[in-house]
Amino acid sequence: MIRFWAIVSLLTFHADAFVIPHHTPRVLQTSVAQSSTEAVIVPKQGGRGVATASQDAARRNLSLGAPPVRPMGGEYTSQGGVQITATVEPLPYATTTTTTTTTTTTTTTNVNDEINSMTVMEELMDQLDEKKGVLLMSSYEFPGRYARWSLGFVDPPLEISGRGADCHIRSLNERGDVLMPAVQEALQQMKRDGLLSAIEVVEEAPLNGSGKAIAKTIQAKVVPPPEVGSFSEEDRSRQPSLFSIVRALVDLFAYKGDCRQLGFYGAFGYDLTFQFEPIDLKQQRDDDQRDLVLYLPDKIVVVDQDKRDSWTVSYDFSVNGKSTRGLPRTTEAIPFAPFDETKTPNFTPRDTPVSEFAASVEKAKREFAVGNLFEAVLSQTFREKLGAETPPSKLFRRLRARNPAPYGFLINLGEQEYLVGASPEMFVRCEATEDNDYRPGAIRVETCPISGTVARGADALEDAQRVKSLMMNAKEESELTMCTDVDRNDKSRICEPGSVQVIGRRQIEMYSRLIHTVDHVEGYLRPEFDALDAFLCHTWAVTVTGAPKTWAIQFVEDNERSPRHWYGGAVGMVGFDGGLNTGLTLRTVRVKNGVAEVRAGATLLYDSNPVAEELETELKASAMIDAIVQDGPEDSAEAAAQAKVAKLDRQRPGQGKSVILVDHEDSFVHTLGNYLRQTGATVRTLRSGASALSTMESLIAKGQKPDMVVLSPGPGNPSDFGLSNTIEFLVKHRIPAFGVCLGLQGMVEHFGGSLGVLGYPMHGKPSPVSLTYPGKEARSIFTGLPDTFEVARYHSLHGIRERLPSCLEVTALSDDGIVMGIKHKTLPFAAVQFHPESILTSPAHGMAILQNALAYLRYSDEDTPKRSGAEIVAAFEGMDVSRLQQRCSAAGISQTGSKSELVVRMTLFTHKSEELAAGRLQLENLTEEELIELKQGLGLRESASGKDGLVRLLKNCLNFEV
């Protein structure tokens, strides 16, 4: 019985497929194979799933990294006994500024000359060129993950820096001096606890040259950590290190209150990982390298773009009866120093010669083969010189405009070192939550491993195709799987059992040039651990090191060509409220002594392609390098205005032309009209029928004959709309025509061809089409398009290729041989059997087709009047040799010889091109000797054999518009 009904079902399907509408007597039947994806069965029912990260974040009122609502301020006593006064002042929220750039500085003022959030932020960027401080700017949103916010400061009173076991805490002004006794006491307690081996207080030069105060630095040395294996791995983050000092100082200033912006801000270098993992160092480090630079600010500007609110919060501190109240907040200003050849004589543009990175990938593959590594992340550095006209603030402005990211930052580290970045990846974020399954106030730790990368497309359609390829790529999926498994392992060391969860899997994040797949992982810390433990147990992320992590870190050290410095580390803040928010130091420009360094890496697996991985690092670095070397409208308001004018001034092929769009009751006719208007043409849409023809007749009588008529798609058959009458009218009045879908079918029938019905209707289906030889000719409607591209199909009827009349040529075909484009051999008529205005056809391709139709579909006697030879010669005589050579090169003709020879050559080219376009030159009627003589006169570089080859060569040349 089952077999019987299966046979009946098959017969029913085939019977339906071959029903021919009663009103299509001239239509024959053909079939198109159904896409294999149509066979995929997706169940309509399934599990309930879980709340999305976005829903969960809203339910638990998570901050998504943004500052909480504007605080009230107040008086607080820290855990270490420091008295803290927070004063909050509202700042008018604004989103627009007017920017003026000079050769050395950039000043920004609001259009109303008011102080507001944007003017303050812009001024802060300029100040960071010469003053220590931090600007963090999150300009990327993702539901449940990232919100948009900005926070920054300059003139911090206190600085913490360190390398290896040596740490320096330095007061940067008189306000910092007030804090030093409390800092010193905290460090003395560490020494008593056996964590520090030495403490020394050093007085330095007078601050700001004033002679009023002496800057103080406390130098501390951390004791060596105990031998590996002598302590529990769960307690590794509690072993003596620079972070022991950071933790002690966080505890000193820790307090409970609604003002949660106070904390340490700055950068964490890659080499900090060596404090926890015994690695054999191979790279030579610079003597002045620092692994940690953190600032304690005392005045912070906060902008919450989500809530459209902004404020400043100022802090005063009291220690042992002394207060910072009334003391100046300024610190020493040291201007940015551009590149100096005398100080850097051995400048090299990259640390890894071309192809050597690929060789290192091969070495990694051998490690994968024997099981020493599962994955590894190798990187290389690219360098550019910076002049005085390109300070770090300008780089940041460019990155902010060109590469919005959740972790944008501009940090002046002092000592002529800056970090300018647009990182896409969270490192570790911690936040205390009341609503959780463990205990009130438990700290939630989250990370977002990124692995899986593809370049952005030209538009949303191409993006979609690339996302599809990325999601289907098994190698990219394996990369992210391993990263997330290692990340879960890192959290499991210190998190509550069962709390480590993947709350987002292979989610798509799009940036200016790249598309990534991203996982989102959370856990809840056990009571005995804090945010710094969470930070340290992830140091460093597997996405910048590899797995197994220790072996991968050693492999990186052995095979990269230079130290990583800050790359692969982190930037952000350690809050005194117990929270933490850090981003990985990726997509970052490190500026040191006027040299801009960009480091980029690739995640390697056994099935990595060495050349492709090297290219990936170059692609990742490209956005940063672009910000270094390429000026842009974001540099100044004047440049932005000029760019806008240039865009408006671009010549459009429809400019000054009128188009009648004949509507055949189609669902997309007005989108088609919108596209036509974008060419610059004036478009009038008329519903098809006798009235439309009468309206056009009236326009012609008034001397307003349209430059083109576009025949729209539509349901039914061409005969339902009397399309043959419309086409006859257009031929009679010598009006060029372009047809879409039904318009193509109408042309086929009118000129004597036959239509067929597809076995499977193509309604809203993507399909690749390929150009035929006529479709690739110069002045085709497909000029400038690739030989094969994807289009949107909405049709059942089609022109049968074998029954096309001789006057029509096929210009495009689907992959199964269906006619997708035609043109008339002698009339300016062309058509396509797909929708150029659909989202499934790239807008760039769709617009190009319509622009070409308006540019090239015309009667020959409507071309520009013939110019005299003297006029052509005069035009070229006015050009210099360089420009003449450029014109010759663009036309594909010889650019050698004297100026007079170039003028003669371009004059001949122009004259013959105009003759050919006007129909006055028939190359086919010339003898082979005459064709050779013309080729030699033009100085064509390409070769051709036989008369047919010479005709094609000359046509392609002379049809080129220079």
Side-chain angles (χ1 to χ4, degrees):
M1 181 63 68
I2 293 175
R3 184 176 179 184
F4 170 76
W5 284 114
I7 294 172
V8 171
S9 176
L10 287 171
L11 290 173
T12 303
F13 168 78
H14 285 292
D16 290 342
F18 286 85
V19 172
I20 301 178
H22 70 278
H23 55 283
T24 57
R26 299 183 62 210
V27 172
L28 298 181
Q29 199 72 40
T30 59
S31 64
V32 174
Q34 186 175 354
S35 170
S36 61
T37 59
E38 300 297 329
V40 177
I41 298 174
V42 179
K44 298 297 183 182
Q45 298 181 8
R48 292 176 57 193
V50 296
T52 65
S54 178
Q55 293 168 329
D56 194 49
R59 178 178 63 82
R60 289 187 282 172
N61 196 31
L62 298 175
S63 69
L64 307 186
V69 294
R70 189 200 302 178
M72 300 296 293
E75 301 278 346
Y76 312 101
T77 301
S78 77
Q79 182 175 309
V82 178
Q83 300 297 312
I84 303 173
T85 302
T87 304
V88 179
E89 297 180 358
L91 183 64
Y93 178 83
T95 58
T96 58
T97 59
T98 299
T99 305
T100 304
T101 300
T102 64
T103 56
T104 57
T105 62
T106 303
T107 58
T108 308
T109 57
N110 182 257
V111 291
N112 296 319
D113 293 327
E114 295 178 352
I115 299 299
N116 59 47
S117 58
M118 285 302 294
T119 61
V120 171
M121 281 295 177
E122 294 295 326
E123 289 167 2
L124 181 61
M125 291 178 207
D126 295 329
Q127 290 176 316
L128 285 168
D129 285 331
E130 60 182 17
K131 288 198 169 187
K132 293 180 178 180
V134 174
L135 173 60
L136 304 177
M137 187 170 285
S138 178
S139 53
Y140 183 89
E141 296 180 32
F142 195 96
R145 187 175 306 164
Y146 298 124
R148 294 184 304 125
W149 56 273
S150 304
L151 181 153
F153 62 86
V154 291
D155 295 324
L158 210 63
E159 173 190 279
I160 306 170
S161 63
R163 176 182 180 180
D166 296 318
C167 184
H168 299 78
I169 299 96
R170 183 171 184 246
S171 64
L172 300 179
N173 58 19
E174 295 175 68
R175 299 171 65 83
D177 283 345
V178 172
L179 295 169
M180 292 302 272
V183 171
Q184 186 173 348
E185 175 54 34
L187 297 181
Q188 291 289 358
Q189 184 60 49
M190 291 184 67
K191 186 177 181 183
R192 290 191 288 271
D193 292 339
L195 294 173
L196 300 181
S197 61
I199 300 175
E200 183 181 0
V201 179
V202 179
E203 293 186 347
E204 298 182 1
L207 289 172
N208 301 324
S210 65
K212 294 181 179 179
I214 300 296
K216 293 181 180 178
T217 298
I218 302 176
Q219 299 177 354
K221 183 176 284 291
V222 181
V223 301
E227 185 178 354
V228 174
S230 65
F231 55 85
S232 168
E233 282 298 307
E234 287 79 2
D235 294 328
R236 177 177 286 276
S237 59
R238 293 293 171 127
Q239 303 313 302
S241 71
L242 287 178
F243 284 93
S244 302
I245 297 177
V246 175
R247 178 178 279 111
L249 296 182
V250 169
D251 291 342
L252 170 65
F253 291 103
Y255 68 98
K256 299 296 182 183
D258 72 336
C259 195
R260 295 164 56 188
Q261 276 82 65
L262 192 58
F264 291 130
Y265 292 80
F268 305 86
Y270 178 81
D271 281 7
L272 287 172
T273 192
F274 304 142
Q275 303 206 5
F276 301 94
E277 296 292 350
I279 300 296
D280 182 17
L281 299 185
K282 302 292 182 65
Q283 305 286 348
Q284 181 67 41
R285 267 69 181 176
D286 296 332
D287 292 339
D288 60 352
Q289 176 176 310
R290 293 168 293 168
D291 300 339
L292 175 78
V293 175
L294 297 175
Y295 297 126
L296 170 67
D298 60 4
K299 184 176 182 179
I300 305 174
V301 181
V302 182
V303 180
D304 187 335
Q305 282 96 329
D306 270 356
K307 301 179 183 66
R308 301 180 70 81
D309 192 14
S310 52
W311 62 91
T312 61
V313 54
S314 303
Y315 300 94
D316 278 299
F317 307 95
S318 294
V319 175
N320 298 337
K322 292 186 177 181
S323 174
T324 61
R325 193 180 301 274
L327 294 178
R329 297 180 185 272
T330 58
T331 61
E332 186 178 14
I334 302 176
F336 163 70
F339 179 78
D340 186 340
E341 295 280 358
T342 62
K343 294 181 180 178
T344 313
N346 299 319
F347 176 83
T348 54
R350 56 194 295 170
D351 69 346
T352 308
V354 176
S355 79
E356 283 195 16
F357 187 90
S360 295
V361 177
E362 293 285 6
K363 188 182 296 185
K365 288 165 71 77
R366 292 194 288 272
E367 296 296 317
F368 300 143
V370 297
N372 290 338
L373 296 172
F374 304 145
E375 65 176 337
V377 181
L378 288 182
S379 62
Q380 59 176 320
T381 296
F382 306 86
R383 301 186 182 96
E384 297 286 344
K385 302 173 184 177
L386 292 181
E389 73 284 355
T390 314
S393 60
K394 181 173 284 190
L395 299 183
F396 181 76
R397 286 186 170 95
R398 292 174 182 173
L399 276 185
R400 177 184 58 171
R402 303 176 193 181
N403 200 41
Y407 289 93
F409 51 90
L410 170 57
I411 305 176
N412 183 332
L413 299 167
E415 301 180 15
Q416 288 299 318
E417 187 171 21
Y418 305 79
L419 292 178
V420 186
S423 175
E425 185 168 349
M426 179 193 301
F427 178 51
V428 176
R429 193 163 71 194
C430 295
E431 182 175 358
T433 63
E434 295 302 316
D435 183 6
N436 62 77
D437 296 331
Y438 303 97
R439 63 192 176 279
I443 294 179
R444 176 180 183 259
V445 54
E446 62 180 322
T447 53
C448 293
I450 291 179
S451 197
T453 303
V454 69
R456 287 290 301 268
D459 50 46
L461 302 175
E462 207 171 298
D463 277 345
Q465 291 294 329
R466 296 187 180 205
V467 166
K468 181 179 178 181
S469 71
L470 181 59
M471 294 300 292
M472 297 296 290
N473 189 307
K475 182 256 185 185
E476 302 284 11
E477 183 177 8
S478 295
E479 281 187 18
L480 187 55
T481 297
M482 284 192 265
C483 289
T484 298
D485 277 342
V486 174
D487 183 271
R488 291 168 61 238
N489 178 73
D490 291 338
K491 287 182 178 61
S492 296
R493 185 190 311 210
I494 57 173
C495 284
E496 295 281 5
S499 70
V500 179
Q501 301 290 332
V502 177
I503 59 175
R505 173 62 173 162
R506 296 200 81 200
Q507 296 176 318
I508 294 296
E509 288 185 4
M510 291 190 178
Y511 295 93
S512 63
R513 299 189 180 212
L514 300 172
I515 303 171
H516 296 298
T517 47
V518 185
D519 282 355
H520 195 173
V521 188
E522 71 168 8
Y524 283 86
L525 297 181
R526 302 205 296 272
E528 63 268 31
F529 295 110
D530 60 18
L532 282 174
D533 292 306
F535 182 97
L536 294 172
C537 76
H538 289 83
T539 305
W540 287 116
V542 65
T543 52
V544 294
T545 53
K549 193 179 286 187
T550 304
W551 283 51
I553 291 172
Q554 185 65 65
F555 183 81
V556 166
E557 179 68 17
D558 293 342
N559 289 280
E560 289 187 342
R561 302 301 195 273
S562 65
R564 287 190 167 190
H565 298 293
W566 303 103
Y567 172 82
V571 296
M573 70 93 71
V574 183
F576 295 158
D577 65 343
L580 180 142
N581 188 9
T582 54
L584 272 174
T585 314
L586 305 172
R587 315 284 158 78
T588 297
V589 182
R590 176 198 180 223
V591 177
K592 178 66 173 176
N593 296 326
V595 176
E597 296 181 349
V598 176
R599 198 172 189 110
T603 302
L604 314 179
L605 300 179
Y606 178 70
D607 49 359
S608 288
N609 179 302
V611 175
E613 299 292 3
E614 182 165 350
L615 291 174
E616 180 175 322
T617 64
E618 294 173 355
L619 173 64
K620 287 178 177 177
S622 63
M624 303 300 107
I625 294 173
D626 178 69
I628 297 169
V629 302
Q630 291 294 331
D631 294 339
E634 62 275 4
D635 289 345
S636 70
E638 181 181 0
Q642 291 175 348
K644 185 174 182 180
V645 170
K647 183 176 181 180
L648 293 174
D649 282 347
R650 282 204 297 263
Q651 182 63 33
R652 295 177 291 177
Q655 200 75 43
K657 295 183 179 179
S658 64
V659 173
I660 297 295
L661 175 56
V662 178
D663 175 16
H664 300 115
E665 302 174 18
D666 184 60
S667 297
F668 314 123
V669 65
H670 296 297
T671 304
L672 185 59
N674 181 295
Y675 270 43
L676 289 164
R677 290 184 183 96
Q678 290 179 56
T679 69
T682 300
V683 180
R684 184 174 180 181
T685 304
L686 300 176
R687 184 67 63 88
S688 68
S691 296
L693 298 184
S694 297
T695 299
M696 284 192 278
E697 191 87 60
S698 175
L699 289 171
I700 294 170
K702 295 176 184 177
Q704 299 173 2
K705 186 172 75 170
D707 295 285
M708 175 177 286
V709 167
V710 175
L711 305 174
S712 86
N717 292 271
S719 58
D720 293 331
F721 299 95
L723 249 172
S724 189
N725 294 334
T726 303
I727 295 172
E728 185 177 353
F729 175 90
L730 299 178
V731 174
K732 172 185 175 182
H733 290 284
R734 294 171 60 80
I735 301 174
F738 176 72
V740 178
C741 291
L742 189 74
L744 178 143
Q745 297 155 19
M747 289 185 189
V748 169
E749 278 201 335
H750 176 79
F751 291 111
S754 299
L755 302 180
V757 181
L758 299 174
Y760 179 80
M762 299 296 283
H763 296 161
K765 307 292 185 187
S767 179
V769 299
S770 299
L771 303 181
T772 63
Y773 182 78
K776 299 176 186 179
E777 288 182 346
R779 296 177 182 262
S780 158
I781 60 170
F782 299 117
T783 295
L785 271 67
D787 290 351
T788 300
F789 56 96
E790 195 165 82
V791 300
R793 296 173 66 178
Y794 286 88
H795 69 109
S796 298
L797 303 184
H798 66 97
I800 299 175
R801 185 179 184 184
E802 294 77 13
R803 299 198 178 188
L804 287 184
S806 60
C807 63
L808 297 180
E809 286 185 307
V810 177
T811 54
L813 291 167
S814 67
D815 54 359
D816 52 358
I818 301 298
V819 174
M820 300 305 290
I822 60 170
K823 72 171 183 177
H824 199 282
K825 290 183 178 178
T826 57
L827 298 174
F829 280 37
V832 293
Q833 187 57 70
F834 56 84
H835 282 246
E837 82 290 350
S838 169
I839 62 171
L840 290 179
T841 304
S842 165
H845 295 160
M847 282 300 304
I849 291 169
L850 297 177
Q851 288 170 338
N852 288 335
L854 280 162
Y856 301 138
L857 294 179
R858 59 192 180 191
Y859 285 89
S860 60
D861 58 0
E862 295 171 355
D863 287 340
T864 303
K866 180 181 178 182
R867 291 184 290 173
S868 69
E871 290 174 323
I872 298 173
V873 170
F876 289 119
E877 283 285 1
M879 299 181 185
D880 58 27
V881 172
S882 176
R883 191 175 175 194
L884 282 167
Q885 289 174 333
Q886 291 175 357
R887 298 290 289 265
C888 289
S889 177
I893 63 180
S894 175
Q895 50 190 307
T896 61
S898 63
K899 178 177 179 178
S900 61
E901 290 172 323
L902 295 175
V903 169
V904 169
R905 201 172 294 135
M906 280 305 301
T907 301
L908 177 63
F909 169 83
T910 304
H911 174 68
K912 293 300 181 183
S913 294
E914 292 179 353
E915 291 285 302
L916 183 66
R920 293 186 290 269
L921 172 63
Q922 300 293 327
L923 293 170
E924 294 84 354
N925 296 337
L926 299 180
T927 65
E928 186 170 345
E929 289 73 18
E930 289 171 329
L931 293 169
I932 292 173
E933 183 180 354
L934 178 56
K935 175 180 177 296
Q936 292 173 342
L938 293 170
L940 286 181
R941 297 188 294 265
E942 295 183 45
S943 60
S945 58
K947 182 175 179 179
D948 290 343
L950 288 166
V951 169
R952 284 195 298 271
L953 176 63
L954 288 166
K955 270 189 177 181
N956 286 336
C957 171
L958 296 175
N959 277 324
F960 190 91
E961 291 188 345
V962 180

